[in-house]
């Protein structure tokens, strides 16, 4: 039902020449397909959305909405590309002062790091994301919560609880600028 509504809305926006809402709709369809496990289709939709936002020169939208593309690429195992997208988003979001998407960016980057065997770095990122979410009053969207908790639990188990929790606590207090600069 939601997918149909998005597609119908996009048809209307296309007819009106509203490029921003079409690009947003492509991103939303990408999110829907990603949740449904259709990663290849989701990635294609995210890439089409990013191309549209780039054509419009909408840097803030690119920084925010490329997080879906980074998630899809992470699932496909392209960790270097995902890492680069998350890092670009972090830098751009910091420059323009759009703080709300930063926790999701840090969480996604943490997943990339954990999947590469860097559980302590992931814990620092996740700790910082948790602190930011707490300060913003913005919990993780329910659609992402289960996967995120699984990634955290897996990394904690592989690393060992004591070291993992210490890194998490360190991340909670690390300044944002230092967190961004610390990324390779």
């Amino acid at each position: 039902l939601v997918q149909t509504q998005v597609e119908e809305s996009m048809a209307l926006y296309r007819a009106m020449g509203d490029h921003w809402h079409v690009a947003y709709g492509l991103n939303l369809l990408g999110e829907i397909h990603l949740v449904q496990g259709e990663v290849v289709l989701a990635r294609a939709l995210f890439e089409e959305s990013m191309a549209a936002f780039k054509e419009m020169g909408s840097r803030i939208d690119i920084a925010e909405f490329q997080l879906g593309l980074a998630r899809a690429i992470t699932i496909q195992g392209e960790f270097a590309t995902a890492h680069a997208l998350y890092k670009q988003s972090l830098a751009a979001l910091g420059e323009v002062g759009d703080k709300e998407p930063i926790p999701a960016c840090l969480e996604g980057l943490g997943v990339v790091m954990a999947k590469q065997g860097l559980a302590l770095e992931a814990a620092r990122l996740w700790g910082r994301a948790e602190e930011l979410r707490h300060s913003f009053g913005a919990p993780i969207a329910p659609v992402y919560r289960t996967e995120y908790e699984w990634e955290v639990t897996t990394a904690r188990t592989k690393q060992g609880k004591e070291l993992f929790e210490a890194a998490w606590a360190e991340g909670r207090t690390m300044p944002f600028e230092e967190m961004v600069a610390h990324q390779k």
Side-chain angles (χ1 to χ4, degrees):
L1 178 66
V2 172
Q3 181 177 335
T4 302
Q5 291 172 332
V6 172
E7 290 167 349
E8 290 172 356
S9 295
M10 285 177 58
L12 292 172
Y13 287 127
R14 276 193 178 102
M16 294 177 0
D18 187 335
H19 303 293
W20 189 90
H21 279 98
V22 171
Y24 178 81
L26 289 166
N27 191 78
L28 186 54
L29 286 174
E31 293 285 353
I32 290 167
H33 287 286
L34 190 61
V35 168
Q36 293 172 348
E38 300 165 341
V39 181
V40 173
L41 178 55
R43 181 175 178 168
L45 289 162
F46 289 135
E47 288 172 341
E48 188 177 350
S49 174
M50 289 301 95
F53 281 127
K54 285 178 183 174
E55 188 175 307
M56 288 182 278
S58 184
R59 187 168 181 230
I60 187 64
D61 292 319
I62 293 167
E64 184 174 343
F65 291 121
Q66 79 180 3
L67 299 181
L69 177 58
R71 278 192 294 278
I73 289 171
T74 300
I75 291 167
Q76 292 179 319
E78 297 177 36
F79 302 131
T81 303
H83 187 277
L85 287 173
Y86 281 123
K87 187 166 179 179
Q88 288 169 9
S89 286
L90 272 178
L93 292 167
E95 286 174 19
V96 298
D98 188 1
K99 303 283 189 213
E100 191 174 323
I102 289 174
C105 193
L106 292 171
E107 290 154 358
L109 187 54
V111 170
V112 170
M113 302 303 267
K115 288 186 178 295
Q116 295 179 94
L118 302 168
L120 294 180
E121 185 62 33
R124 286 183 196 93
L125 291 164
W126 292 331
R128 186 67 185 128
E130 178 185 66
E131 182 60 31
L132 288 171
R133 284 197 181 280
H134 178 73
S135 70
F136 300 159
I140 296 174
V143 69
Y144 303 123
R145 180 169 285 124
T146 301
E147 179 184 348
Y148 169 76
E149 289 174 352
W150 183 86
E151 293 289 353
V152 169
T153 300
T154 301
R156 182 184 294 117
T157 300
K158 286 181 181 177
Q159 182 60 57
K161 184 177 179 179
E162 191 172 304
L163 286 173
F164 187 88
E165 296 299 329
W168 188 289
E170 180 184 345
R172 285 182 60 95
T173 60
M174 189 176 286
F176 174 74
E177 294 76 17
E178 185 180 335
M179 182 73 64
V180 173
H182 192 270
Q183 297 309 305
K184 301 172 185 92

